[in-house]
Amino acid sequence: MIEIGRIVRLQVQTASLKLGERPNRVYDPSPLREVPCLRLTPRGAAGVRDGAPLLDVHHGDHPATKWEAGREASFGFTSHYGRMRDEYGGHLVNGCAGENVLVESTEVWTLEDLTRSAGLAFRGAESGSLLRLANVTVAEPCVEFSRFAIRTRAPEASPQELKPVLQFLSEGTRGYVFTPESDGEVAIGDRLVILT
């Protein structure tokens, strides 16, 4: 087992982060809610706060669900946020891209790095229990987040302006999506590990 990094932030999207109608839709991270614990199931992610669940909008049971097979939950890396801030500015604070799990790392991780082994899992810091991640793939950046990254609101940014931003944010820079292989919980301090 190879440790990638420690979980430093957990959050849920209580509503869509894209507001309005196309082509005037904008990215707004205000529906993000930080939580101390996250319950993951093959149906999606739910925050646990004061014993009550707080469903992520991608959870199959959310009233306004955006559920899509293979995109039930997501994770990202602090190192990737560092790259985004270096390129576009300090407004790209940790967590603003909307991933459920933020892992502390100094490395930049590609999909190939993450999937060439026996798989990925979250490992409980206290229990040592493993929650395996299935269907790990790149969370492709959307136009709205790309405009947010360059601080341009819709529809001012032209396709020519957005193309290099979308390319920079792709290939895992914005993060990764996955399906939890079983039911389990993750907490701050747990680890993301590569299974060998």
Side-chain angles (χ1 to χ4, degrees):
M1 197 175 332
I2 301 167
E3 182 176 311
I4 292 177
R6 186 175 70 90
I7 295 173
V8 293
R9 181 184 175 98
L10 297 168
Q11 63 187 7
V12 292
Q13 298 179 28
T14 58
S16 178
L17 305 185
K18 298 178 212 175
L19 304 178
E21 299 297 323
R22 287 183 181 166
N24 298 315
R25 200 158 60 177
V26 296
Y27 186 85
D28 178 9
S30 64
L32 291 170
R33 297 292 178 269
E34 196 167 352
V35 293
C37 184
L38 199 65
R39 186 171 297 135
L40 296 172
T41 76
R43 299 271 301 154
V48 179
R49 182 186 283 162
D50 301 323
L54 187 60
L55 294 180
D56 187 270
V57 74
H58 298 95
H59 193 290
D61 297 333
H62 190 284
T65 188
K66 294 176 69 179
W67 182 89
E68 186 180 328
R71 301 179 62 82
E72 288 83 1
S74 58
F75 66 90
F77 297 103
T78 57
S79 52
H80 293 208
Y81 274 101
R83 286 189 73 220
M84 289 190 282
R85 279 191 291 276
D86 287 347
E87 190 72 15
Y88 301 117
H91 65 292
L92 293 170
V93 297
N94 286 352
C96 73
E99 69 284 332
N100 298 116
V101 179
L102 183 62
V103 178
E104 186 175 55
S105 179
T106 57
E107 311 238 352
V108 172
W109 296 91
T110 67
L111 184 61
E112 182 182 350
D113 295 332
L114 299 172
T115 58
R116 66 174 154 202
S117 64
L120 293 176
F122 293 121
R123 184 174 189 270
E126 293 182 20
S127 68
S129 63
L130 296 175
L131 176 59
R132 293 179 65 100
L133 284 58
N135 307 319
V136 175
T137 190
V138 167
E140 292 296 344
C142 61
V143 168
E144 293 81 7
F145 183 74
S146 299
R147 288 183 182 128
F148 177 81
I150 60 172
R151 298 181 186 207
T152 302
R153 295 183 68 87
E156 290 91 12
S158 70
Q160 292 78 19
E161 289 175 281
L162 289 177
K163 183 177 179 181
V165 183
L166 288 161
Q167 289 172 332
F168 179 86
L169 295 173
S170 66
E171 298 182 10
T173 299
R174 188 185 177 187
Y176 298 90
V177 293
F178 68 96
T179 302
E181 204 167 88
S182 59
D183 293 5
E185 290 190 1
V186 292
I188 302 295
D190 290 353
R191 297 330 202 235
L192 178 63
V193 297
I194 297 174
L195 303 173
T196 54

